[in-house]
Amino acid sequence: SFLRAVVQNRGELGPVNAAVVAAQRGQLPERARPREADHGKVRSTLHSIMREWTSEGAAERRQSYEPLLNELERCFPSKETRSQLKVLVPGAGLGR
């Protein structure tokens, strides 16, 4: 639903939309045109947003995080002291 809303509202992006139209018409300088690598980054970012912040991503979150959370609960059973723990999560780009 989040990504659907982004796509449905693409015409209301103002200056961003103007840049997209210019790119489609080939009117942007070569250095400003998106490369294939840029498309991959956008796909990856949108997938991460979907996974981390939408109801559609709940199953993937559960599959990824539940084993880790279960292990942390096993290693640190005391709920009173858990709030004092700090867990380093490498690669947590969206800060979930």
Side-chain angles (χ1 to χ4, degrees), residues 73-94:
E73 288 173 358
R74 189 188 69 74
C75 291
F76 305 100
S78 171
K79 289 185 179 184
E80 291 78 29
T81 59
R82 277 189 208 153
S83 64
Q84 300 167 10
L85 295 173
K86 294 185 182 191
V87 178
L88 175 63
V89 183
L94 293 175

Side-chain angles (χ1 to χ4, degrees), residues 18-87:
V20 169
V21 171
Q24 290 171 339
R25 293 181 181 160
Q27 297 172 339
L28 286 178
E30 183 64 33
R31 63 181 164 68
R33 293 184 189 151
R35 300 175 314 238
E36 186 58 36
D38 298 326
H39 295 280
K41 290 176 186 176
V42 169
R43 277 191 296 275
S44 174
T45 300
L46 289 175
H47 178 263
S48 295
I49 291 169
M50 186 278 306
R51 180 189 64 228
E52 300 297 330
W53 300 104
T54 68
S55 58
E56 291 93 339
E60 191 172 343
R61 282 195 306 274
R62 192 171 29 261
Q63 182 182 10
S64 297
Y65 302 142
E66 198 167 287
L68 297 170
L69 294 172
N70 290 341
E71 184 64 15
L72 285 169
E73 288 173 358
R74 189 188 69 74
C75 291
F76 305 100
S78 171
K79 289 185 179 184
E80 291 78 29
T81 59
R82 277 189 208 153
S83 64
Q84 300 167 10
L85 295 173
K86 294 185 182 191
V87 178

Side-chain angles (χ1 to χ4, degrees), residues 2-35:
F2 169 77
L3 295 178
R4 195 172 300 115
V6 169
V7 171
Q8 289 173 345
N9 295 314
R10 69 186 180 277
E12 300 173 17
L13 297 177
V16 173
N17 192 43
V20 169
V21 171
Q24 290 171 339
R25 293 181 181 160
Q27 297 172 339
L28 286 178
E30 183 64 33
R31 63 181 164 68
R33 293 184 189 151
R35 300 175 314 238

